Amino acid sequence: MAERYLRYAVWLLVALSLAAGSFWGQLAEDSWYEIGLWAAALALADQIRVEAPSSARHAVSLAVAVAAIPSLSDAWSVAAVFAFGLAASRIIMGWIHGPIPGALSTFVRQAAGLAFLATIDLSLFALFDALAFEGSGAALVAVAVALVLWLFFDGLVRVYLEHGLGDMSIPFIIRLMWRDWPVVASLFGSGALFGAAYPILGWWSVPLSVVPYVFTHVAFSRYFGARRTYGQMIRALSRIAEIAGISDEGHADSTASLCLAIGLMAGMHPDELTELEYAALLHDIGRVSVSDPSLSLATHQSAELATLSAAIIGQASYLNGVAEIVANQYMPYRQPGQGSDPEVGVASRIVRVAAEYDRLIHERELRELDAIEVLHRGSAYDYDPEIVLMLREVVGA
Amino acid sequence: MPRIDLNRLFIGGLYALSGAAAIVWLAQVESFPLTLTWPVFAAAFVYFHWQSVEVNDRLLASPSVMVILTAAVVFGPGQAMLGTAVMAALGAINPADIRRRRIFQLFANFGQLVLSAVMGSWLVELTLPASIAPATMTTVALASAIGAVGYGVVNICLVIAGIRLALRRQNVWPWSGMARLIPSNLIMGFLGGLLGATMVLVGPVTLPLILVVFFVGHLSMDSYARLREAQLDTLAGFTKALEAKDPYTAGHTERVAYFSQLIGVEMGFKGADLERIRVAALIHDIGKLAIPSDLLRKQGRLTTDEYDLMQDHAHMVEEVLGEVEFLRPMLEIASGHHSHFDGAGYGGSGHTEGERPGIEARVLAVADAFDAMTSTRPYRKALTQKYALAELKDKAGTQFDPHCVEALEAALERTGEVYGSTVIESDEVARKIAERNVNFEAPAPEPLVAEDTSDGRTASRG
């Protein structure tokens, strides 16, 4: 509760300091007042974070930075605002949360991001000046170019730190970098709106840019909150069969973690990984609808069980992809005399291999290498040998 | 070929004609804003209008209202009404209506949107200051806020009147519901005025910037709404699985959800509270998935052990779904659906021996028992609605909350729907018929649950 009020207070302070900044800013260009107020706004907005699809938490200070750059008269002022703002933000954070692990590296990353943004913006303004390109069009082009470049810069840093760039293809890296565009675009849009309106409208630009952003911010936090609880729900539902005693304890969970590890190795996109995880968790949920419990334990893997599971999952159209993975999971990855079956996707093959491996280890109590051996022997039709190799690497056998 | 309803055709036609007449008249008295911004406004309005997100939330008015008001401020007197009326007309031509051949909707929406837009813009034209300058921003924003309220009031009045007249449904939307829309319309209108003034003073660059922010917010809201729906669909998938396991409960969950809604509405529950009861009803039997099917289907007398195991389903729901944050308030309700008004019964956290369960659990208990009695079970055939209601009333004050029972009766009377068997009046008759009927899949002469019959409680296993 207290945390919530603190957050409201921070919002209020950001709005007030923006208002004060625009008021004082009209008195003297780049006075220390102004620099101090922009820095304060930056520091306070930095306390508010918004979750993004990549699960990075972007700081709202980005919007303040976008607004500040065109409002300040030279690069030195911009540098001063960013430096003071970020430093003050760290002091406030330390004061609120105590020491944060990895604070220095996030600080450096954020400072680099802001410096990159300032460089693009200031060079674009200089370029447009030289070309005598001004007005609405110039402002819009500047925002759009800065947005795209910043998105790629920050995305590249994020992807590099999280995954390393290793053997990922360039289109795949671009897909990863592009993931956070909605969040970043709303921050840039709000900041640029403030920056454009503030010289003429003064404090009116505060509600103009803050209210739409608040709407969007609320929408984001609702969405990501719902996404989290959805994941919780899937995990909870996946345990029904275990609670009922018709499925082996922990089978769904350990299959899911194996699948995630293999999926990462196979270079799957984070969204595909989520689907893969759900499919692994629910791959034999069909057991709960089998009326005879002895039957449901016996049919540990069968086409029928896959169909039953897919039918339960498919009730939610949102999970159509997951239902398809589960339905195809029992299909042989190739037929005799034919090549690999394109109908059976990578995710289905991974679930098949991981689920069988987990069963061999826990139900038949085989040693890791023996279990892998069984899978190798079944590689003609049932278990995709490439996936089996990846599994072998994952379990270190 | 769907049956043509003359009444609906007449109302739809009247709305559409009024809208068209307004545009024709405005074309005489105003000039059309032939600017590059008009198509941008029109596109934004059409997008936000077609993609309206339905979230049970009073905070979020559709940004389409804002777009209309911004346009009205930018076009100003002499152009605002005609400019926004044509935008609204475009917004009314919704491809989803055309695809599903909903001619009435199409006609009615056309009139309703055009007249609302004209009202909103007219109010803006009346109250807008002579010149837009930083000094007159307050007046502009206020003018626009007034316009937005006018837009909202006309819009909702026409919707309610249209539905009441055309569909002859009285309880469609309480008039008091309108008050809820005013604050969000005020905010959107205020913002629309600000944006309009900013566009005039700063330049058109501000429009795409603010639209991007709203567009992204709108996308997220849409995904949020879809995810919420997906959560319920996923739970429904598991309910279906339960029905596959125990065919006697086919449709039970959905009917219990429906009856709880009937009772809840009758008792004055609204919005999120009503939604909570509905979700609790959807999950109230999920715990049964963890109960062996042969027990669920057992036709004869249950042993004490079996009875205990059967009772587990009420708190099993908490064991299964306890870690899902958003379901927590619903779990307490669901786990109390076998808790009695006088504190007897059984259940999970929603049940405390000797204490009255929460009101939502009491609603759910009545809905659950009513459906259990009016549908066929392994141990007996369906009873009549009359008998079921009499039984509920008989146990009101001990097993059931009398207010909930009254509410159910009143609601059933209002809807005029009848549930249950048409002939079987009592449990005893039902049992006798069941015994004789060879075709009946589950000839179960035994009373429901051995322990429960001694004190004459209307127990149901589901």
Side-chain angles (χ1 to χ4, degrees):
Chain A
M1 208 43 157
E3 197 199 345
R4 202 164 116 208
Y5 285 117
L6 195 69
R7 237 184 291 154
Y8 291 150
V10 170
W11 274 109
L12 191 72
L13 281 171
V14 171
L16 283 178
S17 49
L18 280 173
S22 34
F23 177 72
W24 286 107
Q26 284 162 350
L27 290 183
E29 269 202 4
D30 289 7
S31 65
W32 281 104
Y33 282 126
E34 206 185 356
I35 289 176
L37 286 164
W38 275 113
L42 190 91
L44 291 169
D46 206 41
Q47 308 305 312
I48 305 166
R49 301 281 159 133
V50 50
E51 204 175 335
S54 72
S55 55
R57 296 173 64 81
H58 291 273
V60 176
S61 54
L62 183 60
V64 177
V66 172
I69 298 169
S71 310
L72 294 163
S73 60
D74 58 33
W76 292 111
S77 304
V78 173
V81 164
F82 287 3
F84 288 133
L86 286 182
S89 159
R90 292 293 138 177
I91 293 170
I92 299 173
M93 269 184 206
W95 176 57
I96 297 176
H97 307 286
I100 306 162
L104 190 67
S105 71
T106 39
F107 179 77
V108 171
R109 194 172 137 195
Q110 203 181 357
L114 289 187
F116 180 76
L117 175 68
T119 315
I120 306 168
D121 261 359
L122 293 173
S123 347
L124 280 174
F125 295 152
L127 179 70
F128 291 165
D129 267 351
L131 296 173
F133 176 40
E134 48 192 31
S136 283
L140 213 55
V141 171
V143 175
V145 172
L147 167 66
V148 172
L149 291 179
W150 192 88
L151 203 57
F152 277 65
F153 173 81
D154 186 66
L156 194 64
V157 172
R158 182 166 40 74
V159 173
Y160 178 72
L161 291 180
E162 277 171 23
H163 310 281
L165 299 178
D167 39 5
M168 285 192 272
S169 69
I170 289 174
F172 186 72
I173 293 175
I174 292 177
R175 261 179 87 195
L176 284 178
M177 285 156 63
W178 190 243
R179 284 186 90 204
D180 287 355
W181 80 266
V183 171
V184 177
S186 71
L187 289 170
F188 265 75
S190 309
L193 186 64
F194 184 90
Y198 142 91
I200 297 162
L201 300 182
W203 68 272
W204 278 110
S205 22
V206 177
L208 183 74
S209 49
V210 172
V211 174
Y213 180 71
V214 169
F215 162 80
T216 304
H217 190 94
V218 169
F220 284 139
S221 54
R222 294 259 166 99
Y223 171 66
F224 289 107
R227 212 174 67 159
R228 246 191 319 278
T229 54
Y230 194 69
Q232 289 172 348
M233 197 173 85
I234 298 288
R235 267 179 285 279
L237 291 170
S238 75
R239 279 194 283 272
I240 289 187
E242 292 169 23
I243 293 173
I246 45 176
S247 183
D248 295 317
E249 190 79 29
H251 174 62
D253 267 343
S254 49
T255 305
S257 16
L258 277 177
C259 283
L260 278 181
I262 301 173
L264 262 177
M265 194 177 282
M268 290 173 88
H269 191 265
D271 297 339
E272 295 163 350
L273 283 178
T274 308
E275 282 205 334
L276 174 66
E277 186 191 3
Y278 290 174
L281 284 169
L282 300 174
H283 75 276
D284 59 0
I285 197 67
R287 281 177 207 280
V288 298
S289 64
V290 177
S291 41
D292 184 351
S294 55
L295 204 79
S296 72
L297 260 187
T299 53
H300 60 84
Q301 266 198 346
S302 72
E304 194 192 355
L305 185 58
T307 315
L308 278 175
S309 305
I312 296 177
I313 301 165
Q315 284 291 320
S317 53
Y318 185 80
L319 290 183
N320 276 346
V322 178
E324 201 186 313
I325 298 175
V326 171
N328 286 338
Q329 154 232 163
Y330 200 71
M331 304 265 278
Y333 79 91
R334 63 177 279 266
Q335 299 286 350
Q338 280 171 17
S340 176
D341 184 353
E343 292 274 302
V344 183
V346 180
S348 303
R349 298 174 191 202
I350 295 179
V351 174
R352 176 87 196 258
V353 169
E356 183 59 16
Y357 174 79
D358 185 69
R359 200 184 68 82
L360 291 170
I361 293 283
H362 290 109
E363 205 180 303
R364 290 189 40 199
E365 297 177 351
L366 295 186
R367 288 182 310 127
E368 284 155 0
L369 265 178
D370 295 335
I372 299 271
E373 186 55 34
V374 172
L375 296 178
H376 272 314
R377 269 186 270 133
S379 285
Y381 307 114
D382 291 337
Y383 312 114
D384 185 333
E386 277 179 45
I387 309 284
V388 178
L389 283 178
M390 284 186 216
L391 170 78
R392 187 173 185 160
E393 209 167 310
V394 164
V395 299
Chain B
M1 182 75 195
R3 190 173 55 88
I4 293 174
D5 183 332
L6 284 179
N7 191 39
R8 288 175 64 167
L9 199 67
F10 175 71
I11 303 292
L14 188 69
Y15 272 43
L17 272 180
S18 318
I23 291 180
V24 170
W25 173 70
L26 284 171
Q28 316 295 316
V29 296
E30 289 205 338
S31 58
F32 187 79
L34 284 168
T35 60
L36 275 178
T37 45
W38 189 86
V40 180
F41 281 130
F45 175 77
V46 166
Y47 171 79
F48 287 127
H49 185 73
W50 285 357
Q51 304 290 324
S52 68
V53 180
E54 281 180 31
V55 180
N56 199 352
D57 197 321
R58 61 179 66 179
L59 181 75
L60 301 151
S62 166
S64 58
V65 186
M66 185 195 75
V67 176
I68 288 274
L69 272 302
T70 307
V73 169
V74 170
F75 299 150
Q79 291 190 321
M81 286 198 277
L82 182 59
T84 55
V86 180
M87 277 163 60
L90 277 185
I93 307 167
N94 191 335
D97 288 338
I98 297 173
R99 227 178 302 123
R100 295 188 212 154
R101 309 234 166 137
R102 294 191 295 204
I103 306 300
F104 167 71
Q105 253 92 340
L106 210 59
F107 278 24
N109 279 345
F110 179 83
Q112 165 218 332
L113 279 178
V114 169
L115 294 178
S116 314
V118 170
M119 178 56 140
S121 310
W122 179 64
L123 287 172
V124 169
E125 286 193 13
L126 278 185
T127 45
L128 208 61
S131 76
I132 295 178
T136 55
M137 287 289 278
T138 320
T139 330
V140 176
L142 283 177
S144 165
I146 294 170
V149 173
Y151 175 97
V153 168
V154 169
N155 192 15
I156 200 75
C157 285
L158 288 175
V159 171
I160 298 173
I163 294 178
R164 287 194 175 185
L165 292 172
L167 305 179
R168 298 198 186 89
R169 256 196 251 151
Q170 289 305 310
N171 56 341
V172 148
W173 185 301
W175 290 97
S176 62
M178 206 152 59
R180 282 196 321 156
L181 295 170
I182 290 179
S184 51
N185 266 322
L186 269 175
I187 294 176
M188 281 298 171
F190 197 81
L191 203 61
L194 275 188
L195 178 61
T198 311
M199 281 186 69
V200 171
L201 294 170
V202 180
V205 63
T206 44
L207 183 66
L209 291 177
I210 205 168
L211 285 182
V212 161
V213 179
F214 269 114
F215 171 70
V216 165
H218 201 261
L219 275 186
S220 315
M221 232 14 177
D222 191 42
S223 313
Y224 167 66
R226 260 187 287 155
L227 205 52
R228 284 291 300 260
E229 215 172 285
Q231 286 173 335
L232 297 184
D233 287 349
T234 307
L235 288 171
F238 281 80
T239 319
K240 290 263 161 66
L242 176 66
E243 290 169 1
K245 190 170 156 179
D246 176 16
Y248 279 103
T249 55
H252 171 68
T253 306
E254 269 160 34
R255 286 194 304 271
V256 172
Y258 174 68
F259 294 136
S260 334
Q261 292 294 282
L262 280 186
I263 302 173
V265 170
E266 197 70 28
M267 291 178 76
F269 283 92
K270 283 197 187 95
D273 296 328
L274 205 56
E275 177 78 3
R276 207 162 42 237
I277 300 183
R278 194 168 80 88
V279 176
L282 287 178
I283 58 176
H284 80 282
D285 268 349
I286 283 221
K288 278 193 182 172
L289 278 172
I291 290 183
S293 347
D294 43 355
L295 180 57
L296 287 179
R297 292 170 159 195
K298 182 164 179 180
Q299 291 159 13
R301 184 185 292 264
L302 299 179
T303 66
T304 314
D305 281 351
E306 286 172 337
Y307 182 61
D308 288 345
L309 190 59
M310 196 70 199
Q311 285 194 345
D312 277 350
H313 86 268
H315 69 77
M316 203 69 102
V317 65
E318 287 178 307
E319 196 167 321
V320 173
L321 294 171
E323 277 166 44
V324 188
E325 276 165 50
F326 93 101
L327 287 176
R328 263 179 219 146
M330 292 79 156
L331 287 176
E332 195 180 318
I333 306 171
S335 75
H337 77 274
H338 283 299
S339 184
H340 295 181
F341 185 61
D342 60 7
Y346 59 88
S349 66
H351 170 72
T352 313
E353 196 64 35
E355 269 180 42
R356 189 167 290 183
I359 177 70
E360 292 104 331
R362 273 140 47 194
V363 170
L364 187 55
V366 171
D368 183 45
F370 179 74
D371 184 66
M373 286 191 279
T374 51
S375 52
T376 298
R377 287 303 164 101
Y379 38 87
R380 58 144 174 71
K381 263 195 150 180
L383 310 175
T384 61
Q385 174 165 317
K386 195 172 143 218
Y387 176 79
L389 280 174
E391 190 75 349
L392 288 176
K393 275 194 245 174
D394 189 41
K395 304 290 176 336
T398 52
Q399 186 171 353
F400 303 114
D401 182 341
H403 292 297
C404 301
V405 177
E406 271 167 37
L408 175 65
E409 190 173 19
L412 286 173
E413 236 163 64
R414 210 158 35 75
T415 59
E417 288 164 79
V418 177
Y419 295 89
S421 146
T422 45
V423 286
I424 304 170
E425 286 290 339
S426 76
D427 245 352
E428 207 179 333
V429 178
R431 246 176 269 134
K432 279 181 187 155
I433 293 175
E435 277 174 81
R436 262 181 275 131
N437 190 347
V438 283
N439 293 326
F440 185 38
E441 276 178 67
E446 291 304 321
L448 324 169
V449 171
E451 284 82 344
D452 260 21
T453 44
S454 53
D455 58 0
R457 292 198 191 282
T458 309
S460 65
R461 297 193 216 173

